[in-house]
Structures are given as structure tokens and as C-alpha cells.
Amino acid sequence: MAAPNDEEGAVGPRCHHRSTAMLDVPFLPFCAFLGTLGLLCVAMVGTWCQHWRGGFSLDGSSRTFNWHPVLMVMGLVVLYGAAALVYRIPYTWSGPKLPWKVLHGTLALGAFVLTVLGLAAVFYFHNSQGTPNMYSLHSWMGLGTVLLFSCQWAAGFGAFLLPWAPSWLRALYKPIHVFFGSTILLLSVASCVSGINEKLFFSLKNGTMQYKLLPAEAVFANTLGLLILIFGVLVVAALARPSWKRPDSDSPDSRQVRDALGGFGKPSWEAVPQHSAEGGEGLRYHSSSLSPTAPALC
């Protein structure tokens, strides 16, 4: 087969780049879909507890327990996922970073408060009914996730929000903070899904249609578990997407891209001097299109 000429060889990369761009998903519509999915998860867990599990109360009965799944899904999954995505919003890529730090920390704190209330509900129910605490794998996983979450929030507050934290400490801890942020979300999803399954096994037995016969409640709760899993996977995927990450002027990747594009035309983001919100002068980046002569980086 004859080798393609220069014109034919140039068509391949251009077509590949065009097809990749066509498949690209804008962040804001993706975020709107993710928010809708999160609200659907909260609505479904509330409907499950209200319609099939008897509703809610604070009298120590099973209706007190029903606060546990609702608060856990709302705090440890949905609100925590929203906090994790704050820095992926394009509006956070320029200007002072402190307001977004405060929003990120506040959302995470709100998620933690809801989680603690959810734990209090299940411990209150167990103690009122004389049921042992912390004997199942779900309870071990859930409590371990909450403890890790509390350490993550405290360490993040000390490293990124307190004004006297040195810059070298922030740079050292940042990748650790990012890694455990995604890890905690995945552990939260695993805890919620295992908790849903455990509750179905406990509830659908004597006096009701058994779980193995797949009654309507089982179908509904299984669907809820799948939606929670999809929500968590999509949040982690958004966190891992390079094009949605806040450009960092000090990262090796940014310097490498600037060096690679320096001789070919206008870079995909332009460096503009500015004073950092954390002190000192640095660079900020704002998006701009590549010039026609710039190569596509894969």
C-alpha cells in the first residue's frame, strides 16, 4: 500500500482532533446533570424510607433509623461530591482563590455535620432497641470513612485556610488531599450501597415478600444503589479529567505545555502576572483557543 502523502497524513490528526472535540462534554451541562442525579438520589432514599419503611420520627423506633440513610446519602455522597467539584468550575480559575476555598470547606463541613447526625440516628436506634453496634462490615466501612473524612477536613483547614500555613506545606499536602478526596467519596458510595443491601436483607424476610423474590421495594432500593454508584463514578471522572482542572502556574505540566507551544503559536492558556491570594506574585491562566498553526497535543 502506498504511503500517504503530506496532505493525506495531515487529515488523520485533524479528523481525530475534530472527533475528540465533538465528543467533549461541556462542564456546566455535565454539572447540571450531576446535580439532578444527586437530587434524584436524595429524593429516592427519602421516598423509600417514607413509603416502605414507615416514615421518620425521633422516638428511637425504626422510624428513627430512617434518618440514617437519608442523611448519609445527602451528606456523605451528594453534598460531599458538590464540595469536591468546586474547583472544577471555570469561574474559579481566575481571581482570588480564598472565597472558593471557603465555599469548598463550608460544603465539606455541611456534609460532615449531616453525616454525624446520620450516625447519631443509627446509634440512638440501636441503643433504644438493644441492638449491638459496629458488628457488620457496613458499619466498619462507614465509620472508617467518617473518621477519614474528619481527618481530611481538619488537615485541609489547617493547610489551606489558616493564613500561617507555609507554602511548602501546602504544596506537599495538596496531592495527598486530592487523592484522599476521591478515595473518601468512593468509600462513601461503597458504604451507602452496602447499607442499602444490608437493610433489604434485614427487612424483607418474615412477614414480607422475601428479598430473593425481588418485590417492588427491592427493585426500587437496588435502583437507588445503582444511581448512587453512577453519581460517585461520574464525580471521580470529573475530578480526573485534565481539561477541567484549575490551571496551576507552578505545576510541571503547565510549564511543559507552555514550552511545547511556545514556538508554534498562541498557547491554550495565557500567562498573566497577578498577586496570589496566598501571598507573593505568580501567574494566572485564562482559556483561549489555539492558533491555526499550533499542533494538537494528545
Side-chain angles (χ1 to χ4, degrees):
M1 180 181 293
N5 57 32
D6 294 340
E7 182 178 358
E8 292 173 343
V11 171
R14 285 202 300 268
C15 292
H16 175 72
H17 180 67
R18 189 179 298 114
S19 63
T20 302
M22 291 174 63
L23 294 175
D24 192 22
V25 179
F27 175 78
L28 293 181
F30 176 86
C31 197
F33 170 77
L34 205 56
T36 303
L37 181 59
L39 292 177
L40 178 61
C41 290
V42 174
M44 286 186 67
V45 69
T47 301
W48 177 35
C49 294
Q50 179 66 44
H51 181 72
W52 279 286
R53 298 290 102 215
F56 304 90
S57 74
L58 297 175
D59 58 1
S61 65
S62 60
R63 293 183 298 168
T64 301
F65 172 86
N66 290 340
W67 287 108
H68 174 68
V70 172
L71 293 173
M72 287 303 189
V73 171
M74 188 185 303
L76 206 55
V77 176
V78 177
L79 197 56
Y80 184 86
L85 290 176
V86 163
Y87 291 121
R88 298 304 186 266
I89 302 174
Y91 303 114
T92 68
W93 293 4
S94 61
K97 198 174 180 180
L98 181 60
W100 300 105
K101 286 184 178 183
V102 173
L103 177 61
H104 173 74
T106 302
L107 289 174
L109 180 61
F112 182 72
V113 170
L114 292 177
T115 301
V116 171
L117 292 176
L119 285 179
V122 69
F123 278 114
Y124 180 43
F125 164 70
H126 281 180
N127 294 334
S128 298
Q129 300 297 318
T131 304
N133 292 305
M134 303 304 301
Y135 64 89
S136 67
L137 176 60
H138 162 69
S139 62
W140 291 5
M141 187 186 306
L143 186 60
T145 302
V146 175
L147 293 176
L148 188 59
F149 184 13
S150 63
C151 295
Q152 169 88 341
W153 192 92
F157 179 80
F160 300 121
L161 279 176
L162 295 182
W164 54 78
S167 58
W168 65 265
L169 178 61
R170 298 181 183 186
L172 180 66
Y173 177 63
K174 181 179 178 180
I176 301 174
H177 186 79
V178 172
F179 169 77
F180 278 104
S182 298
T183 300
I184 291 169
L185 179 61
L186 292 177
L187 289 174
S188 301
V189 169
S191 299
C192 288
V193 171
S194 64
I196 291 171
N197 197 241
E198 182 180 283
K199 181 63 176 177
L200 289 175
F201 275 117
F202 285 161
S203 301
L204 299 180
K205 49 183 183 179
N206 298 331
T208 62
M209 185 181 293
Q210 296 183 14
Y211 189 16
K212 64 181 180 181
L213 300 178
L214 205 64
E217 179 182 355
V219 174
F220 188 88
N222 286 349
T223 304
L224 168 63
L226 287 177
L227 292 179
I228 292 173
L229 180 61
I230 293 172
F231 178 88
V233 169
L234 289 179
V235 172
V236 173
L239 294 176
R241 190 180 181 92
S243 60
W244 289 350
K245 292 182 180 180
R246 177 186 174 101
D248 187 354
S249 60
D250 297 327
S251 68
D253 291 338
S254 297
R255 291 195 296 270
Q256 182 180 0
V257 172
R258 293 199 302 273
D259 293 341
L261 295 176
F264 295 96
K266 191 175 182 181
S268 58
W269 52 75
E270 296 175 345
V272 180
Q274 76 164 11
H275 290 282
S276 170
E278 299 170 2
E281 184 170 337
L283 299 174
R284 71 176 171 87
Y285 298 86
H286 62 84
S287 299
S288 61
S289 61
L290 291 170
S291 66
T293 58
L297 298 180
C298 300

